[in-house]
Amino acid sequence: MFDLKSEWNISLAGCGFTSIYYVGAFSCFLEQAPYLINGASKISGASSGSLVAAVLAIGMDLEQYCENLLSMAREARKWKLSTMHPSFNLLKIVRDSLERDLPADAHLRATGRLFVSLTKVSDRKNVLVSEFNSKAELIQVLLCSCFYPLYCGMIPPVYNGVHYVDGALSNNMPHFDLKNTITVCPFSGESDVCPRESTFNFHEYRQNNTSIKFNTSNLHRVIMSFLPPEPQVMAEICRDGYMDALRFLREAGVMTQVDCPSASCCEFVNESTEAIDAAETESTKTLLIGRLNPPPKHHWWLDAQSIKNLPTPIKKVLCEACKERHAGSLYSQVTELLPLRLVSYLFLPVELAYSITKRFLNWLPEMPSDLCWIYGLAADMCRQSWK
């Protein structure tokens, strides 16, 4: 049972594009029990979980992370091979969003509170980083934690002269063993906040401090972690995160707020709350609520149930993503026709050759140092094998 009398921590597992689950879960925390995040001693994460952990530790808006994640998924869906296409550079997109959105003092806010899980390439041991000397250093640590070999590239990023890869490969749930740690994971298992399913489970798999049950739902989630689903599906994952977090808060008895319906996504007016609070009589308040929050319109591009209970800013981001996906331009609708799609696939080898050549030319300035590192790594592996 969760104990509020002693210090507590929050730990997030790596999960790729299904980290939209964390947006729903922690928006519930911020809405119903904000002190759980504000008072946490350590907020730790691995891979994509470290990005959300950084958002929470620094105090950024979750809707901004949600918008960036949906934009990243939209960029991946532009290519025929999705994230596997050579032209899709996941790490560059993550770096650009971090450089744009992180405040100048992000490293000061994160130091001592944010713990990022990394895996050292040389000995495959886990390293937890919690001290950051600059914003650029914080970004580099987060990039190292998100670098999944082959999926993100061939040469791992460097932090303090050492190559690191995805922290989930050595410790996917940092501080899992510490007392009073709230573990959050979008895969059904034994985490505090996770999906609970009635489907048949073949086996429970536990590795790198993460509990994952073998079932068809988790298999689908693993695929979506690497290949981003449609915005409608991501909205449903976000809603599931909110409801799972709400269930945890109720069972732990730590809720401080009461349930209240939120406004619809597109009809929300920022000034509505202030105007309603300023009203003196109940009749005036009722009238203002009717004027400032009119009945929601039917949005055919998004199922209303998939964003039910979510905070209004998150609803608006998800609604806009689904609307943009379904609206599209005349050009995108024409190119979806079967004959044109077949022609485009015939030119796929040429497109791949061009993309690979372009990435190779961009790699040329760093080739000497990278080749020296690969040679040294191969030599170390040979020496260890000989021993």
Side-chain angles (χ1 to χ4, degrees), residues 86 89 92 354-367 370:
N89 193 336
K92 183 180 184 302
Y354 171 78
S355 300
I356 293 174
T357 303
K358 185 178 179 180
R359 294 198 71 168
F360 177 78
L361 293 176
N362 293 332
W363 180 51
L364 282 178
E366 302 176 359
M367 181 187 291
D370 290 340

Side-chain angles (χ1 to χ4, degrees), residues 12 75 85 136 142 144 161 176 190 245 265 356:
L12 294 78
E75 179 65 25
H85 197 284
L142 293 173
C144 289
F176 170 83
E190 299 300 326
C265 52
I356 293 174

Side-chain angles (χ1 to χ4, degrees), residues 262-288:
S262 57
S264 56
C265 52
C266 294
E267 286 74 27
F268 177 70
V269 180
N270 291 329
E271 294 80 8
S272 59
T273 304
E274 297 178 3
I276 293 172
D277 291 340
E280 297 180 356
T281 64
E282 290 296 328
S283 59
T284 307
K285 289 183 179 181
T286 304
L287 182 61
L288 284 173

